Amino acid sequence: TMEKDLAEITATEEAAIKDFEAMMAAKAKETESLGGAIEAKTERLGKVGIEIVELKEEVSDTTKAMEDDKKFLADLAKNCGTKEKEWEVRSAMRAEELLALAETIKILNDDDALELFKKTLPSPSLLQLKVSAKAVRQRAMRVLRTASGAHDPRLGSVLLALAGKSGGFEKVLAMVDEMVTLLGSEQKADDDKKAYCEASIDKAEDEQKVLDQSLADTEKAIADAKETVAKLTEEIAALIKGIKDLDKAVAEATETRKEENE
């Protein structure tokens, strides 16, 4: 009957409307989800872009610091190298001076020759004793003059004291002891400066290694960030395509619905 046919048509139409509305709601929800994902990934993309800029600035700063440190290290190594040669010359000179002073002390303190001289004579005269003391002085002076540091004014003072005609060796020995102490102090000061120089070079080299590692880490971080940008760009493009496909599907479904109602 007509009423039955009309009821079936109406039911079919209502079902079609319901399906169309459900599909449109689902498409709208999916489009909203895709839009949210695009927004989140775009925001992330912007942050990564800023991170790359900051990392590049860090690379620039680190590179400049490395150049400054390399120059400092080169200058330090050059200066320390020059000073080390000077230290070696001074140390060798001091060693010769100390050896000469030690021999001088031995000569001046060695009374064996003088005692032997005294025993060879029944009663040695004052003149004979003076001659023996003079020989000791001359021997000590020859030893001092052989030292490479004979130009040292302090050695010159000791030589002048030895050349004196009067008095014993006490004054000379005191001068020699004082000079030995001074040379030892100077050697320690040079050793300390050398150790400081070597420690400074080691520290600068360690800092250079830290900067090298920091630069390598930063460059890797930039590479990783660029890879993230590429991946996000690809994902955003896929999401945009998904929205376009949904829009197309909605448009086709709407057109189909219109045709069904004509």
Side-chain angles (χ1 to χ4, degrees), residues 101-131:
L101 290 169
E103 183 65 20
T104 299
I105 292 172
K106 182 180 178 183
I107 291 170
L108 297 181
N109 282 329
D110 187 6
D111 294 331
D112 291 344
L114 188 57
E115 289 299 323
L116 181 63
F117 178 77
K118 288 179 181 179
K119 289 176 182 178
T120 58
L121 297 173
S123 56
S125 66
L126 180 61
L127 176 61
Q128 290 170 328
L129 290 176
K130 284 184 177 179
V131 170

Side-chain angles (χ1 to χ4, degrees), residues 43-60:
E43 183 180 353
R44 174 62 181 145
L45 186 62
K47 288 181 179 179
V48 174
I50 293 173
E51 288 175 8
I52 290 175
V53 172
E54 291 175 346
L55 286 169
K56 286 183 177 179
E57 290 177 355
E58 187 175 332
V59 166
S60 178

Side-chain angles (χ1 to χ4, degrees), residues 27 30-31 33-35 37-39 41-42 232-250:
K27 296 292 185 185
E30 189 174 352
T31 299
S33 176
L34 290 173
I38 289 173
E39 184 178 348
K41 289 183 182 296
T42 302
L232 285 169
T233 302
E234 184 181 341
E235 290 174 352
I236 289 171
L239 290 169
I240 291 173
K241 183 179 182 301
I243 289 178
K244 288 180 178 179
D245 291 343
L246 281 173
D247 290 342
K248 183 180 178 183
V250 169

